[in-house]
Amino acid sequence: MTVARGVLLHPIAMGLLQQSLFVLLLGSCLHPAAAFPKGCYPSEEEGLKTFRCSNAQLTEVPRDIPNDTNKLYLDFNQIPFLPRDAFRDLPLLLELDLSHNAIARIESGAFQGLAEHLHSLDLSSNRLVSVSKDAFSNLKAKVNLSNNPWLCDCRLQELIRAVELAADSSGGIVCDSSTQEEHVGKAFLQVIADTDFCNVYKKTTDIAMLVTMFGWFAMVISYLVYYVRQNQEDARRHLEYLKSLPSKQRQSEESSTISTVV
């Protein structure tokens, strides 16, 4: 009876063991996908490895992106800024879509490591007001900067000259504010055709420096004039005082003054 029971239990135990191994193997296969943020998934499009996180309610750039990704979609999220080295582990990235986010700040070095391969960068429909050209240093990608609330000034002019704009996107770079009120609402490339913001800024800076120097010079001259007049006034009062003294006392005072001077 005991032997028969052991014979019956052995196949059952083997079956349970096989099921456990199958679950473990399945879990290990699914583990990388489970590490992805909610709403993100990998795929393959036209032979390129793609990672989509469109409309995934992200508030930062995900960290668990496969490092062999060629196309990355992070559009329609709430990402507020791009930190330094945000994409440093994606050396094969060709296209990066960051459109329709809340990006208002891009740190220098945010695209570090993408210069060699990246050929398309979409930053349209964000909250960019002013960005240093250094943030795009050595980047060869065609950049879409349209539909942002840009401040039209020398900094934007330097940025536009430092990057290659995506085709048909330049008209969407419009002055939401400007150092010159008459430029508000106009396309930036149309404005800089007639206005050199950096030259205007240089002239303004030079004038400010001249005004400051003139102000200091005027203060020094005013002090010298005051000092001379004060001494003259003191000397006049002393002479009047000497004249008011009796002759003998005046001579004594004058002799005392001369001896003091000597």
Side-chain angles (χ1 to χ4, degrees):
M1 184 69 178
T2 304
V3 174
R5 183 179 296 177
V7 172
L8 291 172
L9 288 175
H10 180 70
I12 296 174
M14 289 299 295
L16 291 173
L17 180 61
Q18 289 176 352
Q19 288 181 1
S20 299
L21 289 172
F22 177 76
V23 170
L24 287 172
L25 289 172
L26 182 62
S28 64
C29 293
L30 294 177
H31 177 70
F36 298 148
K38 184 180 179 181
C40 299
Y41 62 92
S43 64
E44 189 166 323
E45 299 178 7
E46 301 177 351
L48 296 175
K49 292 188 176 181
T50 304
F51 193 75
R52 287 190 174 273
C53 287
S54 302
N55 199 20
Q57 299 182 354
L58 298 176
T59 56
E60 63 179 3
V61 177
R63 299 179 182 178
D64 299 314
I65 302 171
N67 57 15
D68 59 350
T69 298
N70 303 127
K71 299 171 69 175
L72 176 59
Y73 292 88
L74 299 174
D75 51 319
F76 290 95
N77 286 289
Q78 292 94 44
I79 299 172
F81 80 103
L82 300 179
R84 182 179 179 85
D85 295 326
F87 308 98
R88 66 177 180 178
D89 296 325
L90 302 173
L92 303 180
L93 199 61
L94 302 175
E95 297 182 19
L96 176 57
D97 190 346
L98 290 160
S99 64
H100 298 89
N101 273 278
I103 301 171
R105 181 166 59 92
I106 301 176
E107 291 186 356
S108 179
F111 304 110
Q112 190 169 335
L114 301 182
E116 293 299 322
H117 299 283
L118 192 70
H119 63 70
S120 176
L121 173 60
D122 194 345
L123 286 164
S124 63
S125 301
N126 276 281
R127 298 178 185 174
L128 295 171
V129 175
S130 183
V131 180
S132 170
K133 65 178 181 179
D134 296 335
F136 298 85
S137 180
N138 299 321
L139 202 63
K140 300 175 183 177
K142 294 181 179 179
V143 185
N144 187 343
L145 298 171
S146 61
N147 299 320
N148 281 280
W150 291 109
L151 166 63
C152 291
D153 61 357
C154 178
R155 203 177 194 200
L156 179 58
Q157 181 173 312
E158 289 180 339
L159 172 61
I160 296 299
R161 289 176 176 175
V163 301
E164 182 179 356
L165 296 177
D168 302 323
S169 69
S170 60
I173 304 174
V174 177
C175 300
D176 187 72
S177 57
S178 176
T179 53
Q180 300 182 35
E181 190 65 27
E182 65 269 20
H183 297 147
V184 175
K186 295 182 180 179
F188 185 67
L189 291 190
Q190 176 187 348
V191 170
I192 60 175
D194 302 318
T195 304
D196 188 338
F197 283 92
C198 295
N199 190 40
V200 170
Y201 175 77
K202 184 177 182 301
K203 288 181 178 178
T204 303
T205 304
D206 291 343
I207 292 172
M209 288 181 64
L210 287 173
V211 170
T212 302
M213 291 175 64
F214 178 79
W216 280 106
F217 182 73
M219 287 177 63
V220 171
I221 294 298
S222 299
Y223 176 76
L224 289 175
V225 169
Y226 171 79
Y227 180 78
V228 170
R229 287 182 176 177
Q230 189 67 30
N231 284 348
Q232 288 177 343
E233 184 66 20
D234 290 342
R236 184 183 63 79
R237 289 176 181 174
H238 187 66
L239 287 175
E240 289 180 352
Y241 170 73
L242 292 176
K243 290 178 180 179
S244 66
L245 295 175
S247 59
K248 290 184 178 181
Q249 186 176 356
R250 184 171 63 234
Q251 290 176 0
S252 176
E253 287 281 350
E254 289 175 350
S255 299
S256 177
T257 301
I258 292 172
S259 64
T260 302
V261 172
V262 174

